[in-house]
Amino acid sequence: QLQLVESGGGLVQPGGSLRLSCAASGFTLDYYAIGWFRQAPGKEREGVSCISSSAGSTYYADSVKGRFTISRDNAKNTVYLEMNSLKPEDTAVYYCAARNTRVRVTSIFCFGYQYDYWGQGTQVTVSS
């Protein structure tokens, strides 16, 4: 069974940091593009950061550029989202998603409809 499991969320003060992990089971991430999305209460889901299956390309939403870093460790079958200088407006449920690209490509996908598999989400709350 193909599964993505997010972890690393929690409560953090403004200016703090968290590292989210997205671990895959039942398949290897080598040929998958990965995206991190978030959804805050009353708001639409948005693409936060995405990485190509080749890891050669990344995308960041303007709201997180310079603060968040996406990376992947195919040996550990895990993708990470390092989040620094967190703000209250970063509060949301964060989801990772995977899209099978069949081969390693530099193409970036960062719309939700482009993804095949989703994790259950992890809550991030930024508050003093």
Side-chain angles (χ1 to χ4, degrees):
Q1 186 178 1
L2 306 182
Q3 265 192 318
L4 293 171
V5 179
E6 302 95 335
S7 61
L11 173 64
V12 64
Q13 293 187 342
S17 298
L18 284 173
R19 186 176 81 157
L20 304 184
S21 298
C22 172
S25 62
F27 66 110
T28 59
L29 289 178
D30 292 43
Y31 301 108
Y32 283 78
I34 303 296
W36 282 99
F37 296 81
R38 68 185 180 187
Q39 188 163 23
K43 293 189 176 181
E44 292 187 356
R45 182 178 60 194
E46 65 169 330
V48 174
S49 181
C50 301
I51 189 166
S52 65
S53 52
S54 70
S57 300
T58 56
Y59 162 85
Y60 296 94
D62 287 343
S63 57
V64 306
K65 207 170 289 184
R67 301 188 297 122
F68 289 12
T69 303
I70 191 170
S71 62
R72 61 191 302 154
D73 185 341
N74 287 350
K76 294 184 177 180
N77 221 26
T78 302
V79 176
Y80 304 98
L81 185 68
E82 186 77 35
M83 306 188 297
N84 298 314
S85 303
L86 283 162
K87 305 175 181 180
E89 51 264 43
D90 294 318
T91 295
V93 178
Y94 284 71
Y95 301 89
C96 67
R99 174 192 169 106
N100 190 343
T101 61
R102 303 290 189 265
V103 295
R104 291 193 180 94
V105 296
T106 58
S107 305
I108 280 288
F109 306 94
C110 224
F111 291 101
Y113 72 87
Q114 295 175 311
Y115 283 84
D116 307 307
Y117 305 103
W118 291 81
Q120 83 290 348
T122 185
Q123 176 70 47
V124 171
T125 302
V126 185
S127 175
S128 55

